[in-house]
Amino acid sequence: MPRLEITGTERRYNTVAAIEDNGAWQMVMPFPRASIRAAALVGDERLICLSEDGELCLIAWRSRRDVVRRRLPRGDSCARRLFVTRDAELIAAYVSHVPSDETQYLHRLVVLRAADLEILLDGRGITWPSDGPIGRLSAEEAYPPRPGGPAILTIHGDLFEDPEGRLAFIGLRCGPGGSSYGLCRLERTDGSVRYDPLPDAVKPYWFSPSGRYAVTPRLDPSPRESEAAADAVGDDPRHRAQAVELWTTEPVAHVATLVARPGPEPHRVMTEVAWEPDERALWVKYGFFWDQKTEFQCIGLDGARSPVFAFGRYAGAKAVSTFGDVADAERVEIRFYSDAVFIPRPWCADSGPARLIAQDEDGYRPQASAGPSASAVGRFLARSLPVVTVADFSAAAIAESLGWLTGQIRADLAALLRSDALALTFRVGGKALTEPAFFARIARERIAVAPVLRELLTTYLEVQPALVAARNLYRQIWGPDDNQGALAPAMQALLHLDPAAHDVFRDYLAQRDGEHEDYSTTVMMQTYIAATGWRDRAMIGFGVYFALIRYRDGVISLGGGFLEEHGVLDAAEGLLDPADFAVLIREELDGFAARPDLDCHLGPDALSRELRASLATTAYGRRVLAALADRPAAPPGPT
């Protein structure tokens, strides 16, 4: 049976849908400029994907062929989840919340025909007659509530399908008369909704694959309610067993209370349930990852229960876990991150209350559920990148191609982006080169294209801010490799070919997310200074600017100050007398504080204090401080 994973890279996160079939991975990228918010298999041949901006794409994944695309209706809530019916005839796109509180949210449920994504039902609320529990899904705006208007649609937990093939969900305060909590079932044909009330307590319900059963935590278990609770101890709530309630959906009824953890031990929060395929038993997960203690247990509908299992490998660790395969006849798979550990089935019959599984017993498999390899994903994504064709690796041919690229960036930078990243493939004489490899070769062979590189980068820096604002990106466009800004390899090549290009590097450093992008201030800066050194007054000025950039980025200097980070203070001592260096520092401080594109909320005085801390560490620096002391007080910075 095909298995679906959503993957990507750090910068192109969740952009690839990967389907494993008979041990081989097939990859598709449904949205070249957006991430995948949700995806699901539609039968064995098709795949439905939902983008972060509300576009649906139905794909014949074996041939990588789009079947149909449709944008969901605009509304107050953008769908975040997908559900496909068992017969693969309907797809539901919806929003829901974890049942953790009684806050009423504005949700939306859209039901589409799977064959062509035709919208069949669209609901923001439910209208109810005055005389019964049968209402109708309504596309009418439900907020604010009004007499005779639809009840606000608030969905708790997952959609599921009941045994009759109806879409169903737990609704909060959306039943007739505003009743608090109930099971809503939606008829496929006419959008009518049947409502069955549940106890008012807000809590999760986990439904079985057929929709016939549900289990929910027993919030106040009583030992007298069923024979299954016979081993609970006493009437004092402190000594009652932790239990789960078993419910049926047709009719909606509480049919049994199943003891999970007998005795007076503190109750653990049930956070996940996985049903076994035959629905005769279920697996419960206890605890959140931040509890540093996650436990697992099998409970049978006949009242049988396994010990409570925990894994020594993850004892005391904040590890994210979920159920993997609970259908295997020999062992049950539990996933911690992308790794897998196992519980042997025979251990479920042990009579003890708990069992800690040692590392040499857990069958640990690393990266068991990681999807295709990172290199395979990278190669697949590279095929989707914009291609720059270069006739050969000569200066003339490279200059011509980079000139073409500059024109494309000036005309429509947005068309070159993939999500929030600009990454390119260069095809040189028919051979593909990655963007970093192409520019690294230009630098290594010292191809005389520095003026063209300068024009490329200055053009990009000119048009980037408007696109960042239009796309609502956070400060910058990212580049080809993790932690690189856009055109970082080109910037590095320009600095290598033209050491005086620090004027371009200034603007490049200014227009970046300094909190998260540090490739330019570590690798690029170290390479630049190692190759060129601090050769003149202009470079020393750039060194002061760079120290201020580091301070703006929020970096904390632990080594004496930012002026010492790359040796600029020592270099200044050999090139400039203290008074001249003081003048240069004043110029840089005034210019830095006045640049709006730096997004710096620090005034000249705060910036000056940081540089003064660096200067105070050497005798030369202290003479510079004396020269700076003659400066009149700076006007107050922004608050």
Side-chain angles (χ1 to χ4, degrees):
M1 181 177 179
R3 176 172 73 93
L4 172 65
E5 294 281 347
I6 305 302
T7 183
T9 63
E10 183 175 340
R11 288 266 47 91
R12 302 182 71 185
Y13 181 70
N14 281 359
T15 53
V16 176
I19 303 96
E20 183 187 33
D21 189 33
N22 295 322
W25 288 99
Q26 178 83 289
M27 288 181 274
V28 296
M29 187 172 65
F31 311 112
R33 296 179 180 86
S35 297
I36 302 170
R37 172 168 281 171
L41 290 169
V42 185
D44 289 340
E45 303 295 326
R46 292 186 174 185
L47 168 73
I48 183 68
C49 295
L50 172 66
S51 75
E52 58 188 354
D53 59 355
E55 183 182 11
L56 285 168
C57 181
L58 183 66
I59 303 167
W61 58 266
R62 296 183 192 275
S63 59
R64 296 197 181 105
R65 177 180 58 86
D66 283 11
V67 177
V68 64
R69 289 177 180 264
R70 178 178 294 277
R71 189 164 292 280
L72 289 172
R74 296 288 182 183
D76 298 323
S77 297
C78 184
R80 296 178 177 86
R81 311 184 75 176
L82 294 173
F83 178 81
V84 179
T85 56
R86 289 187 291 265
D87 58 12
E89 290 187 0
L90 297 181
I91 297 168
Y94 68 105
V95 187
S96 70
H97 274 80
V98 176
S100 57
D101 58 43
E102 296 189 26
T103 303
Q104 194 166 28
Y105 296 95
L106 305 178
H107 290 165
R108 191 168 193 167
L109 170 62
V110 180
V111 181
L112 307 100
R113 188 165 51 221
D116 55 8
L117 298 189
E118 182 71 24
I119 294 177
L120 304 177
L121 299 169
D122 181 6
R124 299 184 186 188
I126 305 175
T127 57
W128 299 102
S130 58
D131 58 350
I134 305 298
R136 187 170 301 278
L137 196 66
S138 171
E140 185 180 348
E141 178 62 62
Y143 184 84
R146 57 197 180 277
I152 293 172
L153 180 63
T154 301
I155 301 173
H156 268 190
D158 299 331
L159 249 65
F160 70 100
E161 189 176 359
D162 77 0
E164 302 300 319
R166 292 170 293 199
L167 292 176
F169 57 88
I170 300 294
L172 171 68
R173 295 208 300 275
C174 58
S179 54
S180 295
Y181 223 49
L183 177 63
C184 299
R185 283 180 279 193
L186 179 65
E187 290 290 347
R188 297 186 179 201
T189 52
D190 61 0
S192 62
V193 179
R194 173 180 166 182
Y195 182 86
D196 290 286
L198 292 168
D200 287 348
V202 173
K203 58 180 180 176
Y205 286 78
W206 288 279
F207 293 89
S208 65
S210 70
R212 179 184 176 190
Y213 296 113
V215 291
T216 185
R218 180 69 171 173
L219 299 183
D220 183 21
S222 169
R224 297 190 179 92
E225 288 205 19
S226 75
E227 292 183 4
D231 53 359
V233 180
D235 290 329
D236 189 329
R238 293 172 299 174
H239 298 298
R240 292 176 181 170
Q242 183 166 0
V244 297
E245 295 177 356
L246 176 66
W247 285 69
T248 57
T249 58
E250 192 61 56
V252 175
H254 171 210
V255 294
T257 299
L258 308 173
V259 169
R261 303 166 72 111
E265 64 187 78
H267 290 186
R268 301 293 313 284
V269 177
M270 290 174 57
T271 54
E272 188 177 344
V273 166
W275 285 82
E276 297 205 342
D278 61 7
E279 301 188 2
R280 294 180 179 179
L282 56 114
W283 284 85
V284 176
K285 171 185 162 185
Y286 301 101
F288 298 97
F289 79 92
W290 56 78
D291 295 333
Q292 302 183 31
K293 183 181 182 182
T294 309
E295 298 170 323
F296 307 88
Q297 184 183 29
C298 182
I299 302 173
L301 269 58
D302 60 358
R305 59 179 177 268
S306 75
V308 175
F309 297 104
F311 292 91
R313 183 180 300 275
Y314 301 102
K318 294 182 178 180
V320 177
S321 61
T322 189
F323 290 104
D325 183 4
V326 299
D328 188 279
E330 301 297 326
R331 58 185 188 172
V332 172
E333 177 187 356
I334 309 293
R335 296 177 184 175
F336 281 83
Y337 298 108
S338 294
D339 304 333
V341 289
F342 299 89
I343 301 172
R345 288 275 183 185
W347 293 1
C348 294
D350 290 357
S351 58
R355 178 164 183 165
L356 180 66
I357 301 175
Q359 292 192 32
D360 60 358
E361 300 176 309
D362 63 15
Y364 174 75
R365 285 200 298 130
Q367 299 296 308
S369 58
S373 67
S375 59
V377 174
R379 288 193 300 270
F380 172 77
L381 286 173
R383 297 201 295 268
S384 71
L385 299 180
V387 176
V388 180
T389 302
V390 187
D392 55 59
F393 216 83
S394 64
I398 292 171
E400 180 181 358
S401 297
L402 292 182
W404 174 86
L405 177 60
T406 300
Q408 294 296 112
I409 288 174
R410 183 182 293 111
D412 193 1
L413 175 58
L416 299 174
L417 296 195
R418 299 296 182 263
S419 186
D420 63 350
L422 171 63
L424 306 165
T425 294
F426 288 82
R427 189 166 295 280
V428 183
K431 181 180 179 181
L433 286 178
T434 65
E435 182 182 340
F438 176 76
F439 286 108
R441 184 177 173 187
I442 288 176
R444 186 172 62 251
E445 298 183 13
R446 303 198 67 83
I447 306 297
V449 291
V452 184
L453 285 172
R454 173 180 284 271
E455 184 181 5
L456 171 68
L457 285 156
T458 54
T459 299
Y460 165 74
L461 293 169
E462 178 184 338
V463 302
Q464 183 219 34
L467 183 56
V468 167
R471 288 280 189 92
N472 198 28
L473 304 179
Y474 186 67
R475 292 189 175 177
Q476 76 167 73
I477 297 168
W478 291 90
D481 288 341
D482 295 343
N483 195 34
Q484 285 188 1
L487 293 180
M491 184 73 252
Q492 201 160 359
L494 176 59
L495 291 172
H496 186 79
L497 297 176
D498 179 11
H502 48 73
D503 61 324
V504 181
F505 197 22
R506 283 175 178 255
D507 291 340
Y508 189 89
L509 291 168
Q511 295 182 19
R512 48 184 271 285
D513 173 10
E515 182 182 358
H516 300 102
E517 190 278 291
D518 61 4
Y519 180 84
S520 56
T521 53
T522 53
V523 176
M524 198 183 300
M525 185 65 176
Q526 290 166 4
T527 304
Y528 176 42
I529 299 304
T532 64
W534 301 101
R535 54 179 60 190
D536 53 28
R537 188 179 190 275
M539 278 211 62
I540 296 295
F542 168 71
V544 176
Y545 173 87
F546 183 83
L548 294 171
I549 281 286
R550 295 285 276 165
Y551 187 45
R552 180 213 66 168
D553 290 350
V555 177
I556 299 174
S557 175
L558 300 177
F562 291 120
L563 287 177
E564 298 187 63
E565 187 176 11
H566 293 284
V568 65
L569 185 58
D570 292 339
E573 184 174 3
L575 289 171
L576 306 174
D577 63 52
D580 191 19
F581 191 31
V583 170
L584 186 59
I585 287 175
R586 289 170 183 167
E587 292 172 352
E588 293 294 341
L589 281 169
D590 292 341
F592 196 93
R595 283 190 62 165
D597 61 331
L598 283 166
D599 192 23
C600 182
H601 303 290
L602 304 167
D605 284 344
L607 296 168
S608 177
R609 281 194 298 272
E610 181 62 27
L611 294 186
R612 289 171 185 271
S614 296
L615 293 168
T617 59
T618 69
Y620 170 74
R622 289 188 287 274
R623 293 197 296 273
V624 177
L625 280 175
L628 285 170
D630 296 333
R631 179 183 183 183
T639 58

mmCIF file of all heavy atoms in Angstrom, residues 17 123 170 246 311 395 451 495 588 600 638:
data_model
loop_
_atom_site.group_PDB
_atom_site.id
_atom_site.type_symbol
_atom_site.label_atom_id
_atom_site.label_comp_id
_atom_site.label_asym_id
_atom_site.label_seq_id
_atom_site.Cartn_x
_atom_site.Cartn_y
_atom_site.Cartn_z
ATOM 1 N N ALA A 17 5.915 16.225 -1.953
ATOM 2 C CA ALA A 17 5.112 15.077 -1.532
ATOM 3 C C ALA A 17 5.800 13.826 -2.058
ATOM 4 O O ALA A 17 6.000 13.688 -3.270
ATOM 5 C CB ALA A 17 3.694 15.187 -2.078
ATOM 6 N N GLY A 123 -19.583 25.058 4.314
ATOM 7 C CA GLY A 123 -20.264 25.445 5.539
ATOM 8 C C GLY A 123 -19.426 26.283 6.475
ATOM 9 O O GLY A 123 -18.278 25.958 6.760
ATOM 10 N N ILE A 170 -16.911 16.203 16.127
ATOM 11 C CA ILE A 170 -17.403 16.718 17.399
ATOM 12 C C ILE A 170 -17.561 18.229 17.249
ATOM 13 O O ILE A 170 -16.637 18.926 16.845
ATOM 14 C CB ILE A 170 -16.434 16.401 18.549
ATOM 15 C CG1 ILE A 170 -16.246 14.886 18.697
ATOM 16 C CG2 ILE A 170 -16.932 17.013 19.851
ATOM 17 C CD1 ILE A 170 -17.476 14.146 19.121
ATOM 18 N N LEU A 246 -15.613 3.768 26.641
ATOM 19 C CA LEU A 246 -15.870 3.248 25.302
ATOM 20 C C LEU A 246 -17.272 3.664 24.887
ATOM 21 O O LEU A 246 -18.246 3.421 25.600
ATOM 22 C CB LEU A 246 -15.736 1.719 25.284
ATOM 23 C CG LEU A 246 -16.073 1.034 23.956
ATOM 24 C CD1 LEU A 246 -15.055 1.420 22.889
ATOM 25 C CD2 LEU A 246 -16.117 -0.480 24.137
ATOM 26 N N PHE A 311 10.378 3.605 27.344
ATOM 27 C CA PHE A 311 11.648 3.267 26.702
ATOM 28 C C PHE A 311 12.803 3.934 27.430
ATOM 29 O O PHE A 311 12.854 5.164 27.567
ATOM 30 C CB PHE A 311 11.629 3.705 25.232
ATOM 31 C CG PHE A 311 10.671 2.908 24.388
ATOM 32 C CD1 PHE A 311 9.363 3.334 24.217
ATOM 33 C CD2 PHE A 311 11.073 1.724 23.791
ATOM 34 C CE1 PHE A 311 8.465 2.604 23.451
ATOM 35 C CE2 PHE A 311 10.185 0.977 23.025
ATOM 36 C CZ PHE A 311 8.880 1.420 22.855
ATOM 37 N N ALA A 395 34.939 34.328 -20.040
ATOM 38 C CA ALA A 395 34.481 35.582 -19.456
ATOM 39 C C ALA A 395 33.341 36.173 -20.269
ATOM 40 O O ALA A 395 32.349 36.667 -19.708
ATOM 41 C CB ALA A 395 35.641 36.571 -19.355
ATOM 42 N N PRO A 451 32.691 43.497 -12.817
ATOM 43 C CA PRO A 451 31.672 44.524 -13.071
ATOM 44 C C PRO A 451 30.277 43.935 -13.283
ATOM 45 O O PRO A 451 29.276 44.521 -12.850
ATOM 46 C CB PRO A 451 32.180 45.234 -14.336
ATOM 47 C CG PRO A 451 33.654 44.992 -14.343
ATOM 48 C CD PRO A 451 33.816 43.622 -13.776
ATOM 49 N N LEU A 495 33.579 39.559 -3.884
ATOM 50 C CA LEU A 495 34.572 39.964 -2.891
ATOM 51 C C LEU A 495 35.941 39.371 -3.203
ATOM 52 O O LEU A 495 36.979 39.999 -2.962
ATOM 53 C CB LEU A 495 34.121 39.546 -1.494
ATOM 54 C CG LEU A 495 32.901 40.287 -0.925
ATOM 55 C CD1 LEU A 495 32.454 39.636 0.380
ATOM 56 C CD2 LEU A 495 33.210 41.766 -0.710
ATOM 57 N N GLU A 588 30.909 56.475 10.759
ATOM 58 C CA GLU A 588 30.171 55.215 10.642
ATOM 59 C C GLU A 588 28.973 55.180 11.581
ATOM 60 O O GLU A 588 27.892 54.699 11.212
ATOM 61 C CB GLU A 588 31.096 54.031 10.910
ATOM 62 C CG GLU A 588 32.176 53.818 9.864
ATOM 63 C CD GLU A 588 31.611 53.429 8.504
ATOM 64 O OE1 GLU A 588 30.439 52.968 8.447
ATOM 65 O OE2 GLU A 588 32.317 53.593 7.504
ATOM 66 N N CYS A 600 17.324 49.102 12.479
ATOM 67 C CA CYS A 600 18.042 49.125 13.755
ATOM 68 C C CYS A 600 17.319 50.062 14.714
ATOM 69 O O CYS A 600 17.135 51.249 14.415
ATOM 70 C CB CYS A 600 19.482 49.581 13.540
ATOM 71 S SG CYS A 600 20.459 49.586 15.057
ATOM 72 N N PRO A 638 15.838 56.555 18.610
ATOM 73 C CA PRO A 638 14.414 56.197 18.667
ATOM 74 C C PRO A 638 14.104 55.361 19.891
ATOM 75 O O PRO A 638 14.953 54.628 20.375
ATOM 76 C CB PRO A 638 14.209 55.399 17.370
ATOM 77 C CG PRO A 638 15.572 54.888 17.020
ATOM 78 C CD PRO A 638 16.539 55.936 17.469
#
